[in-house]
Amino acid sequence: VSKYIIGGGITGLIASFYNPDYRIITDKIGGQMAANTAGPRILEVNEYSRMFLKDLGFENVNTKFAKIGYKVRGKIVDSISKSLRNKYYLKSRCLDDANLIPNSIMSDGKNTIEYFDISWDEIIERLISNIKKPVINKITSIDTEEKIIVLDGLPFRYEKLISTIPAPAFFKASKLNPEKELKFIQKVFIIVDSSTIDMREYEYIYYPECQYPYHRISKVGSNKLSIEFTTNEDTSKILNYWKHISIQNIIIPIGQIQSGMISKVKDISFFGRYACWDHDLKVDDVIRQSIDYNDTERKNIYDGI
Ligand SMILES: Cc1cc2nc3c(=O)[nH]c(=O)nc-3n(C[C@H](O)[C@H](O)[C@H](O)COP(=O)(O)OP(=O)(O)OC[C@H]3O[C@@H](n4cnc5c(N)ncnc54)[C@H](O)[C@@H]3O)c2cc1C
């Protein structure tokens, strides 16, 4: 009987680092962050990310400022109106209507973000060397009554679980029902050479207006740009249209969380954007979740719970 984290993306690795008695079970290590050429993947500077890098043994990591632009009426500008923010929200989620538009939309409307100048590969490597050796296998089912995870026919009994796998995969494997139906849309990223579009000094640019089929373009990797689409359409249409300039195509099936809510499950906690089904969660929130969880667990032991 033991404690496991299911899913070995950046969330699972961080959760295991701060909760060392939990072993990861995953089919792959690194998840989305290991292939970080799609979209602006930055570790924002704040108290949690600063503490995290220090805890990992990275001293004095330089910080940089990402400049964020908004394309409006043919011009790149540094700020945007509330109605264009709302328009962007609907466009980037393929929605016709919405009651509540979160503040976090379009990088909180900021025009600069301070981030750590460090690669996710370096962070992932350091995390792997500081955690228990993960079990590499695909989870086929989870029996939440008997508290058993099944991997390719092999059962693992658990005492406690932290789930970081995407919520639709968790609810399918456990045959439980979420509180509200989990709806999502795929994202398509067309990677092109940086000479294709003049990004000027901007790290990424948002495109709220409907005449652009994409909604964000970001500088990625060395000398590349990522053009980002959220779409219900057949991907072959997009891939075909852009094939003359495309260096690479990346498709993330659960790219954009649209609506829904997970339900509570006994002895299972959910960490990270896709497991919690909350698009607002970023890596620094995962650090906070992982540290808080460790503190609560320790407190429960002392209190004899
Ligand atoms: C375009 C884009 C840009 C982003 N930019 C930023 C950013 O700038 N800053 C930021 O903080 N966040 C950013 N995010 C969010 C961030 O990328 C994600 O929150 C994070 O990478 C998700 O990591 P995760 O570990 O939660 O999930 P994932 O990376 O999806 O990992 C899930 C893991 O579970 C495993 N798994 C799934 N199903 C099973 C199964 N049945 N059995 C075993 N294993 C399984 C997978 O192999 C994978 O390793 C961005 C996201 C996108 C899409």
Side-chain angles (χ1 to χ4, degrees):
V1 178
S2 206
K3 296 174 175 180
Y4 295 101
I5 291 166
I6 53 174
I10 192 73
T11 302
L13 294 171
I14 295 173
S16 171
F17 176 67
Y18 282 112
N19 297 277
D21 46 340
Y22 280 71
R23 185 184 293 278
I24 292 177
I25 302 176
T26 189
D27 55 356
K28 267 186 254 130
I29 294 280
Q32 283 196 26
M33 283 306 193
N36 67 359
T37 40
R41 306 275 177 145
I42 56 175
L43 181 61
E44 273 183 57
V45 174
N46 62 31
E47 60 172 312
Y48 288 104
S49 50
R50 200 178 284 284
M51 182 165 48
F52 171 59
L53 291 182
K54 205 160 164 245
D55 291 345
L56 270 182
F58 292 109
E59 296 289 342
N60 305 319
V61 180
N62 282 337
T63 67
K64 282 187 166 176
F65 286 91
K67 200 159 184 325
I68 303 159
Y70 305 88
K71 185 106 177 191
V72 181
R73 290 188 212 97
K75 281 193 185 142
I76 306 169
V77 294
D78 285 348
S79 64
I80 196 161
S81 68
K82 191 156 187 278
S83 72
L84 276 173
R85 273 163 69 90
N86 294 359
K87 209 168 171 170
Y88 178 84
Y89 181 81
L90 300 178
K91 175 179 166 180
S92 63
R93 279 148 180 80
C94 299
L95 293 170
D96 297 323
D97 199 7
N99 294 329
L100 205 70
I101 315 262
N103 274 336
S104 61
I105 191 77
M106 293 175 124
S107 310
D108 294 324
K110 292 177 193 155
N111 59 21
T112 50
I113 289 188
E114 190 179 11
Y115 67 99
F116 285 107
D117 189 15
I118 185 166
S119 77
W120 288 107
D121 287 348
E122 263 184 283
I123 294 176
I124 290 171
E125 204 183 299
R126 191 68 67 91
L127 283 167
I128 292 170
S129 62
N130 277 287
I131 60 169
K132 273 188 187 162
K133 197 168 184 292
V135 176
I136 307 291
N137 219 320
K138 191 173 167 66
I139 295 155
T140 47
S141 73
I142 303 166
D143 181 336
T144 53
E145 287 294 317
E146 297 295 325
K147 297 173 79 172
I148 293 171
I149 308 168
V150 181
L151 316 173
D152 278 344
L154 210 73
F156 277 68
R157 193 173 285 277
Y158 68 84
E159 177 194 331
K160 286 219 168 148
L161 266 195
I162 296 175
S163 176
T164 75
I165 66 173
F170 173 86
F171 283 92
K172 192 168 168 228
S174 64
K175 297 197 176 67
L176 298 173
N177 289 322
E179 187 77 34
K180 278 194 207 135
E181 190 192 353
L182 306 173
K183 290 192 180 168
F184 57 90
I185 326 171
Q186 65 189 348
K187 270 188 186 288
V188 182
F189 302 84
I190 303 289
I191 312 298
V192 300
D193 190 272
S194 59
S195 59
T196 317
I197 297 150
D198 181 8
M199 294 284 287
R200 311 217 315 253
E201 71 276 31
Y202 295 93
E203 210 62 36
Y204 48 102
I205 299 173
Y206 289 104
Y207 293 78
E209 292 166 337
C210 293
Q211 75 253 39
Y212 304 101
Y214 41 86
H215 57 88
R216 181 166 63 177
I217 301 184
S218 322
K219 288 181 183 159
V220 292
S222 49
N223 300 318
K224 286 183 198 157
L225 300 177
S226 161
I227 310 176
E228 187 173 338
F229 303 77
T230 306
T231 178
N232 280 321
E233 275 185 41
D234 173 9
T235 49
S236 62
K237 263 193 190 170
I238 299 175
L239 303 185
N240 249 330
Y241 185 85
W242 295 86
K243 71 174 188 284
H244 61 296
I245 55 166
S246 166
I247 299 173
Q248 190 194 353
N249 314 313
I250 300 170
I251 300 171
I252 307 181
I254 307 179
Q256 182 69 56
I257 294 166
Q258 203 179 26
S259 61
M261 199 195 286
I262 60 167
S263 43
K264 283 206 169 90
V265 187
K266 193 172 177 289
D267 293 321
I268 305 185
S269 303
F270 298 90
F271 285 14
R273 172 183 294 197
Y274 298 100
C276 294
W277 211 244
D278 178 354
H279 205 87
D280 272 0
L281 296 181
K282 291 206 225 132
V283 174
D284 40 289
D285 299 301
V286 168
I287 300 167
R288 183 181 38 76
Q289 279 185 312
S290 303
I291 294 173
D292 288 354
Y293 185 75
N294 187 312
D295 288 348
T296 327
E297 279 239 307
R298 250 190 270 151
K299 188 177 171 302
N300 288 348
I301 291 166
Y302 292 139
D303 292 350
I305 297 171

